[in-house]
Amino acid sequence: MRDELLELLSNEFPEIDFEESDTMVDDGILDSLTITGIIAAITMEYGIEIPFEEISEDNFNSIDALADLVERLS
Amino acid sequence: MSFVSLYFIFFIFVLFGLYYILPAKCQWILLLLASLFFYYLSSAAGFFYVAISLAAVYVAARVIQGIYDKAGKDEDMKSLKKRSRPVLIAALTVVIFLLAVSKAGFRVTDALGVERGQGLARLVIVPMGISYYTFGLIGYLADVFWKKDRAQKNPLKLLLFMIFFPQIVEGPIPRHKKLAECFEKEHKFDYTQFCFGLQRILWGFFKKLVIADRLSVFTSQAFSNLESYEGLVLIIAVIFSAVQLYCDFSGCMDIALGVAQCLDIRLYENFNHPFFSKTAAEFWRRWHITLGAWFKDYVYMPMVTNPGLIRFCQKLKDRFSPRVAKNALSVIPLFVVWLLTGLWHGTGINYILWGLYWGAVIIFSTVFTPELKKAAQILHVNTNSKWFDRLRIGRTLLIFLISRAIVATRSLDTCILLFKRMFMKFNPWVFFDESLYTLGLDRRNMFCALIAMAVLWFFEYKQETGTRIRETVASYNIAFRWFLYLLLIFSVLILGWYGAGYNANDFIYMKY
């Protein structure tokens, strides 16, 4: 799942290195528009809904956290 | 009670003294009493709305918390939210209704022909800080609903969160979880933090009294007599009006955050040198930060994750393309956010236009990012160069100035007239024929305003490039340090715009 998600997001956002940091939101690498793009990519690729409660820094700070989120909601 | 008055200075120093003498357990009670006193002197009639909003939100949050706490382990979040949603909606309806009445009530009663102070119009009150405390309460309630915060047990502590006096005038918009933790803590006197707080208050006075109130003389004269001025005079008035707004609002924030820092309470920053922003989106991450963050957390993100919108975007993907679907997922919430941001600032058509203008700029740059990047490549523009950054800063400033011109004159008719008259004549001779000195600021005061703006720009630039001004000042020897303090104090006292029968202008954002 992790590698598949990494490939998907790297294609969507080639300017972002998703393995660069474990604190992508805190470091300002991901802003709200990028997070929107990630939500769009994930929901449309995997057909899942991400509830608003899951939109937290912890779930978006790293590719591992994002992969966990997708697995949990799939 | 105005922030820029001797009464306020006396008030805060008495408060500081009592605050650090009293036992830690009593500190929040003292802050509540001080806030009630401040609110009573500033907006006594507003207590009626404050009490209704407090009661509605306090009860609703406790009921929602009760539903969550009593839930069985097998009950999922969806069903819990379903049960608590009516309570949430009821409380939100009450606070939003009161906000709407305070914002548009007089428009309705005027349209109905009811005289002010008579009949229905007597119920219309414009309490100080209603936009700020209402947004704080909505955020608190939403956080309890989404389990991001717990309901406050003590209604008096919730009241303090609502009307904490440094932030009630113009924000920053508070977040309950963080502020409640601050009120619970024991606050010990820290000499360094106290000095930093005082310095910040003084800097706020400088921005407000030396720059903002001085420039307001020029801008008021220009915008209330549009027929008398044209061309560069009005363009200069718009530029001055932008600087005036920044100094007025960020000056108030400096006073608010400085007072809070003296009390060992950290409020959210509301400004981060916005005039160095390279894009419109970045500008709004640096200007009125807490408003942008509030809309992001409580309107934009909930919309982005809304199942109905996601399903709609999936249909767009099937029918058109993935790009259309992804753009729709950000464009629709952005449009709503900017419409609401416009309405938050005012209910006039020009405020709605102002919100849509910012929305259009940000949506355009979001949707067409790939094309803009491609165009830069084709034109061989080095987007990483310093000159390109400066160009982008200039472009963002221009976008901001246009937005300022839309609302500077307060009505759509005068806004159109302003744009017409700004560009009807190119009159560079106004720089030489002394006509600029006929708008209320003589040569000496104009010079003073320009020097003060240069000083402001210097410190903003230094901070933007990493210099920590207050820490740097603290590192100087005591004689030089005090020379700088006295220079700033006397600048405010001597160069502040007081005039006969001095009464400082209200802060511009106070009415929002």
Side-chain angles (χ1 to χ4, degrees):
Chain A
M1 168 60 73
R2 182 191 182 279
D3 294 339
E4 193 185 312
L5 184 64
L6 181 62
E7 193 184 339
L8 171 74
L9 296 181
S10 300
N11 286 336
E12 287 286 331
F13 304 99
E15 69 281 8
I16 298 175
D17 180 358
F18 284 91
E19 291 182 297
E20 178 194 357
S21 163
D22 286 338
T23 48
M24 290 191 291
V25 180
D26 303 329
D27 294 347
I29 298 169
L30 304 185
D31 61 14
S32 51
L33 289 173
T34 319
I35 291 174
T36 309
I38 293 173
I39 293 168
I42 290 173
T43 51
M44 282 167 204
E45 179 69 21
Y46 298 101
I48 56 171
E49 282 177 14
I50 303 177
F52 178 69
E53 300 88 276
E54 298 286 359
I55 309 296
S56 65
E57 284 158 13
D58 293 344
N59 285 337
F60 282 77
N61 260 336
S62 67
I63 189 70
D64 293 320
L66 275 165
D68 284 347
L69 176 73
V70 175
E71 270 183 8
R72 213 160 4 100
L73 298 173
S74 293
Chain B
M1 189 194 302
S2 168
F3 269 9
V4 276
S5 65
L6 280 175
Y7 299 115
F8 182 74
I9 294 168
F10 179 72
F11 166 73
I12 55 173
F13 275 96
V14 170
L15 176 67
F16 293 156
L18 290 173
Y19 187 72
Y20 289 111
I21 291 169
L22 284 174
K25 278 185 180 173
C26 302
Q27 284 176 324
W28 76 268
I29 299 171
L30 179 67
L31 290 182
L32 177 61
L33 291 173
S35 299
L36 286 168
F37 177 68
F38 181 82
Y39 204 85
Y40 173 75
L41 289 184
S42 309
S43 179
F47 274 125
F48 179 53
Y49 280 18
V50 167
I52 298 173
S53 296
L54 174 70
V57 171
Y58 175 76
V59 171
R62 296 285 293 157
V63 171
I64 294 170
Q65 192 67 62
I67 291 170
Y68 291 164
D69 290 347
K70 284 177 196 155
K73 277 183 185 169
D74 50 346
E75 208 166 352
D76 69 351
M77 189 63 191
K78 256 188 181 170
S79 75
L80 287 175
K81 275 167 74 176
K82 200 176 173 185
R83 280 168 58 199
S84 46
R85 191 166 285 124
V87 184
L88 172 81
I89 292 171
L92 289 181
T93 307
V94 172
V95 292
I96 292 171
F97 174 74
L98 290 179
L99 181 63
V101 169
S102 79
K103 291 257 183 191
F106 284 129
R107 275 179 189 271
V108 176
T109 54
D110 288 349
L112 292 172
V114 182
E115 274 184 44
R116 302 262 169 122
Q118 301 293 318
L120 261 182
R122 284 165 65 187
L123 293 173
V124 180
I125 303 167
V126 187
M128 182 176 69
I130 186 166
S131 299
Y132 303 98
Y133 75 65
T134 300
F135 272 36
L137 287 177
I138 293 173
Y140 159 67
L141 206 51
D143 284 347
V144 173
F145 177 73
W146 285 316
K147 283 192 165 181
K148 291 183 175 180
D149 194 2
R150 285 191 65 79
Q152 176 60 258
K153 286 181 184 167
N154 189 337
L156 294 178
K157 285 187 178 171
L158 191 62
L159 175 61
L160 176 58
F161 160 73
M162 262 178 95
I163 62 161
F164 180 46
F165 77 91
Q167 71 185 18
I168 193 65
V169 179
E170 291 191 342
I173 296 168
R175 299 290 175 107
H176 175 263
K177 198 173 179 184
K178 188 188 166 197
L179 203 54
E181 278 171 14
C182 256
F183 293 144
E184 295 293 338
K185 260 176 49 187
E186 178 184 350
H187 301 282
K188 288 184 179 162
F189 181 78
D190 180 321
Y191 176 75
T192 308
Q193 290 305 316
F194 191 78
C195 287
F196 283 180
L198 290 182
Q199 287 169 25
R200 192 153 184 187
I201 294 169
L202 199 54
W203 184 237
F205 281 138
F206 177 83
K207 281 182 183 172
K208 167 72 175 158
L209 291 169
V210 180
I211 305 178
D213 283 359
R214 177 167 274 104
L215 293 182
S216 83
V217 177
F218 187 98
T219 56
S220 303
Q221 174 66 22
F223 296 146
S224 29
N225 301 284
L226 283 173
E227 296 286 0
S228 313
Y229 304 105
E230 58 194 355
L232 277 168
V233 175
L234 290 178
I235 291 174
I236 291 166
V238 170
I239 295 169
F240 277 6
S241 155
V243 179
Q244 177 201 344
L245 182 70
Y246 175 66
C247 289
D248 190 280
F249 193 10
S250 72
C252 179
M253 287 305 99
D254 285 329
I255 298 170
L257 271 78
V259 170
Q261 192 169 7
C262 289
L263 296 165
D264 188 33
I265 289 171
R266 289 302 177 103
L267 299 177
Y268 285 106
E269 290 291 342
N270 232 359
F271 288 92
N272 179 21
H273 319 299
F275 294 144
F276 293 98
S277 307
K278 297 184 190 81
T279 64
E282 186 190 350
F283 180 86
W284 278 97
R285 287 195 294 273
R286 288 164 166 250
W287 175 285
H288 207 171
I289 297 167
T290 55
L291 182 71
W294 191 94
F295 273 114
K296 186 193 89 186
D297 290 345
Y298 300 111
V299 180
Y300 180 81
M301 279 302 173
M303 280 191 78
V304 165
T305 52
N306 181 280
L309 184 63
I310 300 260
R311 278 195 292 276
F312 174 72
C313 292
Q314 261 159 347
K315 277 182 192 165
L316 290 178
K317 180 191 166 195
D318 297 339
R319 185 146 183 208
F320 300 102
S321 69
R323 190 180 169 194
V324 170
K326 279 169 203 160
N327 281 335
L329 192 63
S330 53
V331 165
I332 295 169
L334 275 176
F335 177 80
V336 174
V337 162
W338 282 102
L339 186 64
L340 291 176
T341 307
L343 284 171
W344 184 89
H345 283 84
T347 49
I349 297 284
N350 56 334
Y351 282 102
I352 295 170
L353 195 68
W354 174 91
L356 295 178
Y357 162 79
W358 275 109
V361 170
I362 290 173
I363 287 169
F364 179 85
S365 61
T366 307
V367 171
F368 295 106
T369 301
E371 282 77 13
L372 293 171
K373 278 184 182 166
K374 214 169 189 178
Q377 272 176 354
I378 293 167
L379 297 169
H380 299 291
V381 177
N382 180 6
T383 52
N384 295 320
S385 64
K386 271 192 175 173
W387 74 263
F388 190 70
D389 280 348
R390 284 180 198 132
L391 203 68
R392 294 169 83 200
I393 290 171
R395 180 195 57 185
T396 310
L397 275 175
L398 186 65
I399 292 169
F400 173 68
L401 288 175
I402 294 169
S403 82
R404 187 68 203 128
I406 295 172
V407 289
T409 60
R410 313 239 173 263
S411 83
L412 189 61
D413 292 343
T414 48
C415 162
I416 294 167
L417 184 64
L418 171 64
F419 274 95
K420 264 188 195 166
R421 296 192 65 84
M422 266 197 298
F423 301 107
M424 72 189 292
K425 200 174 199 180
F426 180 62
N427 48 351
W429 50 87
V430 297
F431 291 112
F432 311 102
D433 66 4
E434 306 217 335
S435 54
L436 286 177
Y437 304 137
T438 61
L439 284 92
L441 294 184
D442 57 18
R443 182 189 293 267
R444 197 169 54 96
N445 273 300
M446 183 66 83
F447 183 70
C448 176
L450 293 175
I451 294 290
M453 282 192 277
V455 169
L456 173 74
W457 183 85
F458 173 76
F459 284 113
E460 293 268 328
Y461 178 76
K462 291 303 256 182
Q463 284 181 316
E464 175 67 13
T465 48
T467 306
R468 297 170 73 90
I469 303 290
R470 289 183 293 177
E471 283 79 354
T472 309
V473 171
S475 70
Y476 295 144
N477 67 59
I478 190 164
F480 188 60
R481 207 162 65 226
W482 271 95
F483 167 74
L484 292 177
Y485 294 158
L486 291 173
L487 189 68
L488 193 55
I489 290 170
F490 282 107
S491 298
V492 173
L493 290 176
I494 296 166
L495 303 176
W497 187 263
Y498 301 101
Y502 164 71
N503 187 9
N505 290 335
D506 277 344
F507 287 100
I508 296 170
Y509 261 69
M510 198 171 161
K511 66 181 182 298
Y512 294 135

